[in-house]
Amino acid sequence: MNLPPHLSVREGHLWIGEHDTVRLAGEYGTPLYVTDEERVRARYREYRDALQAYYEPVQVLYAAKANGNPALLRVLADEGAGADVFSPGELDLALRAGMDPLRLLFNGSSKSREDLRLAIEHGVRVSLDSTDELRAIDEVAGAFGKTAEVSFRVNPALEVPTHPKIATGIASSKFGIPHAEIPDAYRAALAAEHVRPVGIHCHIGSQILALEPFVEAARVMVWIAGELVRLGVVLEFIDLGGGLGIPYRHDEERAPTPREYADAVMPVFVDGVTALGIRPALWVEPGRSLVADSTVLLTRVNSTKDAHRRFVNVDAGFNQLIRPAMYDAYHEVVVANRADQPPAGVCTVAGPICESGDILAPDRALPAVQEGDLIAVLDAGAYGFAMASQYNARPRAAELLVRGPDRALMRRAETIDDLVGTRATPPWL
Ligand SMILES: *Cc1c(COP(=O)(O)O)cnc(C)c1O
């Protein structure tokens, strides 16, 4: 199987960076997420350098929802990243990580007045999703005696080849404002007393492996920028969103690199803004493509069973990694302690959750697996722990960070006591 550069097989074991996953699982227990810090830094730099080769004012805003571990946000803040935040919690994570408020964008299709107040209070720009929200932010900013800097999220109405649950820029999506209505939205923003429109924003979807949709989105955005310039909007940024996919099927898929993304999108963007005589910052919001492949989920085999097919029952299910159950997502699995052995049969890796849909990896050719073996689920760094739950009253896994020879927890495993921590007892019970 093709492996990214930070994963390797040494003497039959899967390694991440300079660490044997079999030893890590023995030491820290399972299930266990393990993240390679240098891989995240390298991906960030690939993006930044590829975009800056074409245009200087570039800002990468990490989509914090992909993986909100505070240590990971700190690593990205240290590299100069900002963040796309979707909630007061993500705003707090980004600010605590030391990210500059001017490198943040508060997004979302349903923000409360309290959300808007928090963004204004911290000087964070807001991407508005409706003209209703424009009215609300004008009032909230007015009550504060401040001016809110905003963009609108454009729905570019593009058909994007990805799973329908993550195609956010199609005409029927709940996100954004149809582009025909964008000029009116900006007219209203220009007329609002406590609002200044300073940007435009789009995000067309997630896990997109083709470049054409991004190029098309850039074309639409530059075209809209032209309309806005004619209305008198001074654009400080154009945000093209995130969405670049990764090759979850290591031997069958290829994802564009950040360099290929830049080579496709940047000429359209740079020519467009140059023709308009403007020089707004270019913002992009990658999530998955920055962090997904940095992380493996290690899970122990509890038992095997030959039923209508061969099951390998492990200790992590959709409570730890919901993507296979939720999106039929594919993740490569490696038997980490038999990583050099040839396939011995077809197995289905199943979790411990009381749902027949709790399958991590159906019908995979694996070596002869036994109780006690260790399975590594690859590419678990995005929408993995971030979407984990306590379903079936199972504590969420620990997260370990490795960097060179070092390793340290960046989140301990939850305990059963953590599960009951928020419980309240009605007085009649
Ligand atoms: C989820 C999201 C992203 C990141 O998407 P990826 O597919 O993880 O790159 C970026 N921007 C917005 C607005 C999002 O909702």
Side-chain angles (χ1 to χ4, degrees):
M1 183 190 304
N2 287 325
L3 292 175
H6 58 298
L7 298 182
S8 58
V9 175
R10 304 186 199 173
E11 287 163 12
H13 288 186
L14 180 72
W15 286 56
I16 180 165
E18 299 177 27
H19 300 268
D20 180 348
T21 58
V22 178
R23 283 191 55 186
L24 294 178
E27 201 170 321
Y28 292 91
T30 56
L32 178 71
Y33 279 100
V34 187
T35 298
D36 186 317
E37 176 178 326
E38 276 149 356
R39 180 61 177 169
V40 176
R41 290 183 186 271
R43 288 296 284 176
Y44 174 84
R45 289 173 193 169
E46 267 182 62
Y47 259 105
R48 183 200 56 201
D49 295 348
L51 296 167
Q52 283 188 343
Y54 284 91
Y55 192 70
E56 190 52 38
V58 163
Q59 181 62 50
V60 177
L61 282 73
Y62 167 58
K65 72 175 187 287
N67 186 331
N69 187 287
L72 210 59
L73 282 160
R74 190 159 294 227
V75 165
L76 286 160
D78 179 49
E79 290 288 332
D84 147 40
V85 299
F86 241 75
S87 65
E90 289 181 2
L91 174 62
D92 184 69
L93 284 169
L95 292 172
R96 278 177 201 253
M99 287 176 172
D100 180 348
L102 289 176
R103 295 180 180 179
L104 306 181
L105 187 64
F106 198 111
N107 282 314
S109 59
S110 179
K111 305 183 201 78
S112 68
R113 288 193 175 221
E114 177 61 11
D115 295 345
L116 299 172
R117 192 188 66 70
L118 272 174
I120 293 166
E121 182 188 330
H122 290 287
V124 170
R125 292 167 182 142
V126 176
S127 184
L128 301 175
D129 211 278
S130 64
T131 45
D132 226 26
E133 210 168 65
L134 172 64
R135 267 192 298 280
I137 201 170
D138 191 29
E139 285 175 25
V140 174
F144 250 110
K146 289 205 177 177
T147 298
E149 296 194 330
V150 304
S151 58
F152 281 100
R153 176 151 171 186
V154 179
N155 182 341
L158 297 177
E159 291 301 325
V160 171
T162 187
H163 190 285
K165 284 186 186 161
I166 50 176
T168 55
I170 56 174
S172 59
S173 152
K174 74 167 179 174
F175 292 109
I177 299 185
H179 59 83
E181 290 161 34
I182 282 288
D184 279 348
Y186 278 86
R187 270 190 209 100
L190 286 168
E193 203 174 336
H194 307 289
V195 171
R196 182 165 49 239
V198 295
I200 40 175
H201 172 222
C202 76
H203 170 66
I204 59 173
S206 200
Q207 184 52 17
I208 300 168
L209 292 173
L211 287 169
E212 296 73 44
F214 295 108
V215 176
E216 199 46 45
R219 268 200 203 99
V220 172
M221 293 295 276
V222 165
W223 176 73
I224 292 171
E227 288 191 295
L228 300 184
V229 167
R230 285 187 284 281
L231 290 180
V233 177
V234 180
L235 285 176
E236 293 176 18
F237 68 88
I238 297 180
D239 184 339
L240 297 181
L244 200 60
I246 68 140
Y248 283 106
R249 294 171 191 265
H250 285 201
D251 298 331
E252 289 154 47
E253 285 175 332
R254 233 205 119 246
T257 61
R259 166 66 64 85
E260 289 165 338
Y261 171 87
D263 289 345
V265 167
M266 291 308 283
V268 173
F269 178 84
V270 175
D271 290 355
V273 295
T274 306
L276 293 172
I278 59 174
R279 204 171 158 74
L282 168 69
W283 288 7
V284 293
E285 302 175 332
R288 186 191 312 274
S289 54
L290 280 181
V291 296
D293 76 4
S294 68
T295 301
V296 298
L297 170 60
L298 302 179
T299 179
R300 187 73 65 190
V301 176
N302 283 328
S303 58
T304 62
K305 176 169 72 175
D306 286 305
H308 53 98
R309 49 184 175 172
R310 183 168 178 77
F311 287 101
V312 171
N313 300 313
V314 296
D315 63 6
F318 75 60
N319 54 323
Q320 311 292 357
L321 180 68
I322 203 174
R323 299 189 66 260
M326 185 156 167
Y327 309 117
D328 294 320
Y330 184 99
H331 282 263
E332 299 286 4
V333 294
V334 174
V335 184
N337 58 313
R338 303 178 189 277
D340 58 349
Q341 294 180 16
V346 173
C347 308
T348 288
V349 181
I353 297 300
C354 180
E355 303 254 352
S356 49
D358 184 30
I359 302 293
L360 282 177
D363 300 328
R364 302 299 174 80
L366 295 180
V369 183
Q370 294 170 13
E371 178 192 350
D373 282 352
L374 185 72
I375 302 272
V377 183
L378 307 191
D379 306 309
Y383 310 108
F385 185 92
M387 293 178 114
S389 75
Q390 298 170 331
Y391 184 46
N392 262 180
R394 284 191 177 270
R396 284 175 291 198
E399 296 180 287
L400 186 75
L401 188 67
V402 302
R403 183 181 70 174
D406 296 329
R407 61 181 188 275
L409 284 176
M410 52 179 183
R411 191 186 316 263
R412 68 162 171 82
E414 285 175 340
T415 64
I416 290 187
D417 282 344
D418 292 326
L419 301 185
V420 299
T422 53
R423 189 179 286 174
T425 308
W428 59 87
L429 291 181

